Amino acid sequence: MSRALIIVDVQNDFCEGGSLAVAGGGAVAAGITRLLAAEPGRWEHVVATKDFHIDPGSHFADRPDYADSWPRHCVAGTDGAEFHPDLSTDRVEAVFRKGEWAAAYSGFEGSTEDAEGAEGLAGWLRRHDVESVEVVGIATDHCVRATALDAAREGFATTVLLDLTAGVDAGTTDAALEMLREAGVTLRGTPRVGAG
């Protein structure tokens, strides 16, 4: 069985010092790097997702509600949209950018571009004979949740490595974990929530 690691949105704006920082984001970046080094044979493939906003409309707001609207973050071409420097990207084979023109939480809403054109995450995984995925990244209660739910819906055996995720809020993180359990996603570990 071919297995892939999906690294979700480990970007500067979602880590300490960013415009939409999640406490513990930097530690998640470093933890993923340590795991990649410690278990190089664990995954046949490693991919990553990025929020990559150009003009996402009401997704950005001057007075965000932090449910459907947010402060400006991960704007295309800015340092905030770049991967956190503590995240090793040497093994990342493809980056799936999402949210250019509208809100997008799941990595399965994104696409990558290469010499052959754009490709979505589900198609890429199938083309590489992936049957099982492990999901890590930021934020547990938003983009990690959405990506893992879509992975399960697409028929991939899905596990979230919670020790390598960071959640925005305890309440929404607990709700996300329940949704993931109900969808048949395997959960391992404990997410960081509100602590560095």
Side-chain angles (χ1 to χ4, degrees), residues 148-149 152 158-160 179-187:
L149 287 173
T158 305
T159 299
V160 178
M179 289 176 69
L180 291 166
R181 285 187 200 97
E182 290 175 0
V185 173
T186 300
L187 302 178

Side-chain angles (χ1 to χ4, degrees), residues 120-188:
L121 179 53
W124 192 97
L125 293 170
R126 289 191 182 101
R127 185 164 61 84
H128 289 84
D129 299 318
V130 171
E131 298 175 24
S132 170
V133 299
E134 293 185 325
V135 182
V136 297
I138 307 168
T140 318
D141 37 351
H142 296 285
C143 295
V144 169
R145 170 190 53 81
T147 300
L149 287 173
D150 277 354
R153 283 188 200 107
E154 290 285 348
F156 299 101
T158 305
T159 299
V160 178
L161 305 179
L162 293 171
D163 290 340
L164 296 176
T165 70
V168 174
D169 173 81
T172 54
T173 297
D174 287 345
L177 299 185
E178 186 56 33
M179 289 176 69
L180 291 166
R181 285 187 200 97
E182 290 175 0
V185 173
T186 300
L187 302 178
R188 295 199 180 129

Side-chain angles (χ1 to χ4, degrees), residues 62-77:
D62 293 332
R63 297 175 128 173
D65 62 16
Y66 294 91
D68 297 308
S69 62
W70 308 87
R72 288 176 63 81
H73 60 276
C74 299
V75 174

Side-chain angles (χ1 to χ4, degrees), residues 5-149:
L5 178 68
I6 303 175
I7 302 170
V8 177
D9 296 4
V10 182
Q11 295 167 262
N12 289 326
D13 270 348
F14 294 139
C15 296
E16 292 80 357
S19 66
L20 190 52
V22 179
V28 165
I32 294 168
T33 294
R34 284 193 299 273
L35 182 60
L36 285 165
E39 299 188 43
R42 180 168 174 165
W43 308 277
E44 285 76 18
H45 301 285
V46 179
V47 298
T49 71
K50 270 190 178 185
D51 253 18
F52 197 74
H53 297 307
I54 296 170
D55 182 6
S58 61
H59 187 61
F60 286 172
D62 293 332
R63 297 175 128 173
D65 62 16
Y66 294 91
D68 297 308
S69 62
W70 308 87
R72 288 176 63 81
H73 60 276
C74 299
V75 174
T78 68
D79 185 62
E82 297 303 316
F83 289 121
H84 190 278
D86 289 343
L87 176 69
S88 172
T89 58
D90 292 351
R91 288 214 37 212
V92 173
E93 296 171 62
V95 177
F96 296 85
R97 300 189 306 197
K98 58 188 173 65
E100 288 96 329
W101 306 106
Y105 296 91
S106 170
F108 287 84
E109 297 176 84
S111 64
T112 187
E113 289 191 23
D114 56 28
E116 298 175 7
E119 184 174 25
L121 179 53
W124 192 97
L125 293 170
R126 289 191 182 101
R127 185 164 61 84
H128 289 84
D129 299 318
V130 171
E131 298 175 24
S132 170
V133 299
E134 293 185 325
V135 182
V136 297
I138 307 168
T140 318
D141 37 351
H142 296 285
C143 295
V144 169
R145 170 190 53 81
T147 300
L149 287 173

